[in-house]
């Protein structure tokens, strides 16, 4: 790491040439962003690399090192900031020259906050203006994506049943032409009926951006802009500079009763009157509501062209096993839902028409995109056993955990007096019997380990487990070896989810066998 730190310290020499605190902050943010998003075997990369940089700069004792430490004292993590401030004070006491902009660093004052985006709510640009107490202002623009609430948390995912943060930060940038930027946003909202530009409460903006940034930080390989890492530390500091005490938008985690009521209201509406197969329509609308609650931040009534396409062409083909009647009905049910939900939310007519156009444009592609395992030659009864919850995405990992699709492992026949075809692999007791069948003569401890792993793979918890299994299979490991490597990762991690994430990350980078 010494060469890396030396390169960063050379980059920090630019700090000696700048006059203003904004340029200095952006340079330090770019330096700190050099390792953002990277992974290390143990610990947090910001702390492992960042703390080491602070110590290296403290030891260098040069004016560039002091300038870098001064910037880290404002832009770093709390621990880095404290260590950098102590090191900076020590260097100043030794007579190292302090940069001219240092006194103004950290004196930034928040002014106004705005939201710019379409009426659908797919993406929003949050604009926050700041100054250092004088007439010169700068604007921070943050792109927040609200289209797909992929679970997050330990290892990048949220515990089952929780609602993730209300959006993800996808990009950020800074402008010193504040008035021009605001004028362009106002003109766009005035000239385009489906665009809006509205003021936001700065405290609420802080709460919302904090949650959205946490979502980004917790996601493995987040889909951020090419230069996002360079602005990450700056963005984090500017969010802290906004006033505290606000509330982020609260998504509605519709429970079972509320979902049922919503579905019943729709099916009784004028918009649903023309649906011919009400039984299939009821099952389809349940899927639409499920998608809105789980994948759209608890917003089942929000409709947009992009959301309609993602539902038909991405989520349904990956996640849901539909009957032929449901496959036929779902585009028509979705179109009726768009009309009904738009009436509930007040979406402009232009937005309704655009969303309906997207539904019909996607309908033909939906028929081609939708995958029915039975159509691929898999036995329908077998598929039903492996997918009692209809979670189509779970099929490959469950077939890997309990490989009963071919040969002697097929989910049929007898094991002693037990009819394997009558067993339910989703039931722990039956799953244990199936594992005993696969591992004849194994001792209790060995079977217990396989049972714990099979349960985790069945539930997809954590998602990195199946991702790691696929990575090992791709480079040539046999299934038996993969299972035992995964079991070893669990044994090393114990009950610590972060340790498990790190152990799985190490496994994914194992060289091919032989």
């Amino acid at each position: 790491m010494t060469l890396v730190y030396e390169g960063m310290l050379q980059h920090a020499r630019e700090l000696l040439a700048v006059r203003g605190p904004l340029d200095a902050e952006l340079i330090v943010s770019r330096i700190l962003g050099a390792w953002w998003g990277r992974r290390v075997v143990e610990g947090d990369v910001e702390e492992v690399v960042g703390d080491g940089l602070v110590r290296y700069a403290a030891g260098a004792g040069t004016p560039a090192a002091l300038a870098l430490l001064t910037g880290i004292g404002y832009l770093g993590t709390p621990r880095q900031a404290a260590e950098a401030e102590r090191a900076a004070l020590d260097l100043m006491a030794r007579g190292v020259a302090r940069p001219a902009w240092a006194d103004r660093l950290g004196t930034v004052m928040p002014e106004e906050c705005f939201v710019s985006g379409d009426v659908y709510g797919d993406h929003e640009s949050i604009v926050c203006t700041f100054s250092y107490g004088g007439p010169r202002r700068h604007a921070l623009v943050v792109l927040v994506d609200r289209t797909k609430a992929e679970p997050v948390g330990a290892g990048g995912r949220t515990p089952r049943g929780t609602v993730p943060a209300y959006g993800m930060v996808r990009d950020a940038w800074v402008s010193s032409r504040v008035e021009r930027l605001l004028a362009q946003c106002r003109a766009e909202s005035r000239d385009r009926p489906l665009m809006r530009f509205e003021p936001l409460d700065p405290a609420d903006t802080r709460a919302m951006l904090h949650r959205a940034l946490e979502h980004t930080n917790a996601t493995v390989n987040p889909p951020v802009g090419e230069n996002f890492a360079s602005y990450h530390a700056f963005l984090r500091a500017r969010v802290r500079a906004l006033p505290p005490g606000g509330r982020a938008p609260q998504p509605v985690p519709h429970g079972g009763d509320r979902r049922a009521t919503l579905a019943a209201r729709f099916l009784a509406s004028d918009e649903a009157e023309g649906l011919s197969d009400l039984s299939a329509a009821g099952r389809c609308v349940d899927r639409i509501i499920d998608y809105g609650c789980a994948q759209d931040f608890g917003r089942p009534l929000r409709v947009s062209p992009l959301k309609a396409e993602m539902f038909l062409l991405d989520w349904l083909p990956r996640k849901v096993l539909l009957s032929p009647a449901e496959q036929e009905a779902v585009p028509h049910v979705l179109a009726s839902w768009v009309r009904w939900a738009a009436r509930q939310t007040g979406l402009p007519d232009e937005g309704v028409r655009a969303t309906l156009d997207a539904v019909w444009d996607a309908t033909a592609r939906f028929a081609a995109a939708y995958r029915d395992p039975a159509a691929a030659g898999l036995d329908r009864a077998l598929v039903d056993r492996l997918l009692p919850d209809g979670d189509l995405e779970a099929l490959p990992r469950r077939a890997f955990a309990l490989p009963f699709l071919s040969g002697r492992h097929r989910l049929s026949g007898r094991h002693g007096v037990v009819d394997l075809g009558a067993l339910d692999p989703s039931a722990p007791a039956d799953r244990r019997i199936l594992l005993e069948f696969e591992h004849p003569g194994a001792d209790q401890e060995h079977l217990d380990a396989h049972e714990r792993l099979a349960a985790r793979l069945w539930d997809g918890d954590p998602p990195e487990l199946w991702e790691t299994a696929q990575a090992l299979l791709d480079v040539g490991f046999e299934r038996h070896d993969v299972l035992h490597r995964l079991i070893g990762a669990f044994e090393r991690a114990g009950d610590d989810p972060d340790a498990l994430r790190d152990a799985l990350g190490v496994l994914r980078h194992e060289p091919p066998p032989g």
Side-chain angles (χ1 to χ4, degrees):
M1 292 297 295
T2 300
L3 291 177
V4 174
Y5 293 147
E6 180 58 32
M8 292 178 178
L9 205 55
Q10 288 181 3
H11 189 181
R13 293 175 183 173
E14 295 180 34
L15 294 169
L16 303 178
V18 302
R19 296 183 179 181
L22 178 60
D23 290 336
E25 288 185 60
L26 292 174
I27 291 172
V28 173
S29 183
R30 189 161 63 245
I31 293 172
L32 295 179
W35 60 81
W36 181 83
R38 299 178 184 270
R39 304 289 296 275
V40 292
V41 175
E42 294 184 4
D44 178 84
V45 66
E46 275 205 293
E47 295 180 353
V48 171
V49 182
D51 294 0
L53 176 60
V54 170
R55 290 191 293 271
Y56 186 86
T62 63
L66 175 56
L68 179 58
L69 290 169
T70 303
I72 294 175
Y74 180 61
L75 295 177
T77 65
R79 190 168 80 180
Q80 289 168 11
E83 292 181 0
E85 288 176 1
R86 286 194 293 268
L89 289 173
D90 180 64
L91 293 185
M92 287 188 289
R94 289 157 50 188
V96 179
R98 194 178 188 214
W101 45 261
D103 289 337
R104 298 177 63 195
L105 197 68
T107 64
V108 68
M109 299 293 294
E111 294 183 341
E112 300 174 291
C113 296
F114 305 89
V115 57
S116 175
D118 58 48
V119 296
Y120 304 115
D122 290 323
H123 305 92
E124 293 177 347
S125 292
I126 308 301
V127 182
C128 302
T129 64
F130 300 87
S131 74
Y132 291 95
R136 298 187 62 182
R137 299 195 295 166
H138 60 274
L140 171 67
V141 184
V142 186
L143 177 63
V144 178
D145 184 347
R146 306 195 191 283
T147 61
K148 194 173 183 182
E150 286 293 350
V152 297
R157 305 294 170 130
T158 298
R160 186 180 301 274
T162 64
V163 178
Y166 192 44
M168 170 189 286
V169 173
R170 293 282 297 270
D171 213 344
W173 53 281
V174 175
S175 173
S176 59
R177 299 181 177 181
V178 176
E179 294 304 327
R180 181 179 177 182
L181 172 66
L182 297 181
Q184 288 176 337
C185 292
R186 293 189 180 100
E188 187 175 39
S189 67
R190 182 182 62 246
D191 299 337
R192 298 175 59 185
L194 294 181
M195 294 297 294
R196 63 193 179 99
F197 182 65
E198 302 167 352
L200 292 176
D201 179 81
D204 291 344
T205 303
R206 170 177 173 156
M208 182 270 291
L209 287 179
H210 175 74
R211 288 182 58 187
L213 187 57
E214 280 191 329
H215 192 166
T216 303
N217 291 338
T219 301
V220 177
N221 298 321
V224 296
E226 182 180 357
N227 296 317
F228 174 76
S230 296
Y231 288 100
H232 178 264
F234 183 90
L235 169 59
R236 180 176 57 196
R238 284 298 181 271
V239 171
R240 290 197 302 255
L242 292 170
R247 294 188 61 189
Q250 299 298 311
V252 182
H254 286 72
D257 291 343
R258 297 187 67 179
R259 295 188 193 200
T261 300
L262 200 60
R265 285 175 54 203
F266 164 71
L267 293 171
S269 69
D270 293 341
E271 287 82 1
E273 188 175 4
L275 298 174
S276 56
D277 187 342
L278 287 182
S279 177
R283 295 191 294 273
C284 290
V285 77
D286 286 343
R287 300 299 189 183
I288 293 170
I289 295 172
D290 287 345
Y291 178 75
C293 291
Q295 296 297 314
D296 192 27
F297 307 100
R299 301 181 295 174
L301 290 175
R302 189 185 77 85
V303 296
S304 79
L306 179 59
K307 182 178 178 180
E309 290 184 358
M310 292 177 67
F311 174 71
L312 284 175
L313 302 180
D314 177 60
W315 191 73
L316 278 179
R318 287 190 301 109
K319 293 290 291 181
V320 180
L321 188 62
L322 296 174
S323 69
E326 292 164 355
Q327 293 179 47
E328 177 71 24
V330 71
H332 304 282
V333 177
L334 180 58
S336 297
W337 176 268
V338 167
R339 297 187 186 96
W340 180 78
R343 180 160 59 87
Q344 312 305 307
T345 61
L347 183 68
D349 291 342
E350 296 93 330
V352 178
R353 287 194 293 269
T355 305
L356 289 174
D357 287 345
V359 172
W360 300 126
D361 287 346
T363 296
R365 287 180 288 159
F366 167 71
Y370 190 81
R371 302 189 299 272
D372 182 348
L378 297 178
D379 179 72
R380 169 62 66 175
L382 173 60
V383 171
D384 289 344
R385 286 196 183 102
L386 288 174
L387 304 178
D389 50 5
D391 186 356
L392 185 59
E393 195 175 42
L395 181 61
R397 71 168 187 270
R398 291 176 181 174
F400 171 79
L402 302 166
F404 308 115
L405 300 182
S406 63
R408 71 184 183 90
H409 292 297
R410 188 171 179 82
L411 195 61
S412 60
R414 305 192 71 83
H415 174 48
V417 297
V418 178
D419 180 4
L420 295 177
L423 295 178
D424 177 6
S426 66
D430 287 3
R431 189 185 300 148
R432 177 74 177 207
I433 296 173
L434 293 168
L435 290 169
E436 289 174 349
F437 169 67
E438 186 185 359
H439 300 87
D443 59 33
Q444 187 81 10
E445 183 178 358
H446 190 71
L447 282 172
D448 288 345
H450 276 283
E451 185 176 9
R452 287 191 295 270
L453 177 60
R456 291 291 199 108
L457 285 167
W458 183 275
D459 293 334
D461 177 28
E464 289 80 14
L465 189 61
W466 176 231
E467 294 169 6
T468 302
Q470 293 176 92
L472 293 174
L473 291 169
D474 288 345
V475 299
F477 285 100
E478 297 294 331
R479 173 180 174 273
H480 181 79
D481 292 333
V482 173
L483 292 173
H484 281 260
R485 278 171 165 76
L486 296 177
I487 288 172
F490 275 105
E491 290 175 346
R492 291 190 295 275
D495 296 327
D496 185 343
D498 291 330
L500 177 60
R501 178 195 64 195
D502 293 338
L504 293 174
V506 171
L507 281 183
R508 285 198 292 274
H509 293 91
E510 279 205 7

